[in-house]
């Protein structure tokens, strides 16, 4: 038995179309509003100095901070982007000598 493609194709299209129209989309399907993009908060960088007997990276880890730089010559401490809770926690730790927001200085 030989089936001609020209006759089988319209019949297949009718079957597919009937299947698609038999299952309408539910009327109660609610479309959600898009969620606005929230950019990550960019916290300021702080310079934290600690006692010489403490490891600056360990002190940073205590408050969940990731140092962007660890100082071990003129200063003994680290620089990190910190949120207000981390700043407060560092200031209350024994062995932390200073927590200062990074900035620029000029002689004037």
């Amino acid at each position: 038995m030989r089936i001609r493609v020209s006759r089988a194709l319209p019949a297949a299209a009718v079957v597919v179309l009937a299947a698609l129209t038999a299952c309408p989309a539910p009327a109660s399907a609610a479309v959600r509003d898009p969620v606005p993009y929230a950019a990550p908060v960019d916290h300021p960088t702080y310079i934290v100095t600690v006692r010489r007997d403490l490891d600056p990276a360990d002190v940073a880890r205590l408050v969940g901070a990731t140092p962007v730089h660890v100082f071990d010559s003129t200063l003994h401490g680290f620089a990190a982007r910190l949120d207000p809770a981390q700043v407060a926690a560092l200031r209350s730790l024994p062995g932390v000598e200073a927590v200062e927001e990074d900035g620029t200085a000029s002689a004037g």
Side-chain angles (χ1 to χ4, degrees), residues 63-99:
V63 297
T66 303
V68 292
H69 189 77
V70 176
F71 304 102
D72 198 24
S73 54
T74 305
L75 290 176
H76 186 72
F78 63 93
R81 293 192 179 277
L82 303 172
D83 64 36
Q86 291 170 316
V87 172
L90 283 165
R91 287 184 173 146
S92 70
L93 286 176
V96 173
E97 296 174 345
V99 180

Side-chain angles (χ1 to χ4, degrees), residues 15-69:
V15 171
V16 170
L17 185 59
L20 290 175
T21 57
C23 300
S28 63
V31 177
R32 292 185 179 190
D33 290 333
V35 177
Y37 172 73
V41 177
D42 195 17
H43 299 295
T45 302
Y46 285 82
I47 306 296
V48 180
T49 54
V50 299
R51 283 191 330 233
R52 287 269 173 202
D53 61 328
L54 297 175
D55 180 11
D58 286 343
V59 174
R61 277 191 288 275
L62 286 174
V63 297
T66 303
V68 292
H69 189 77

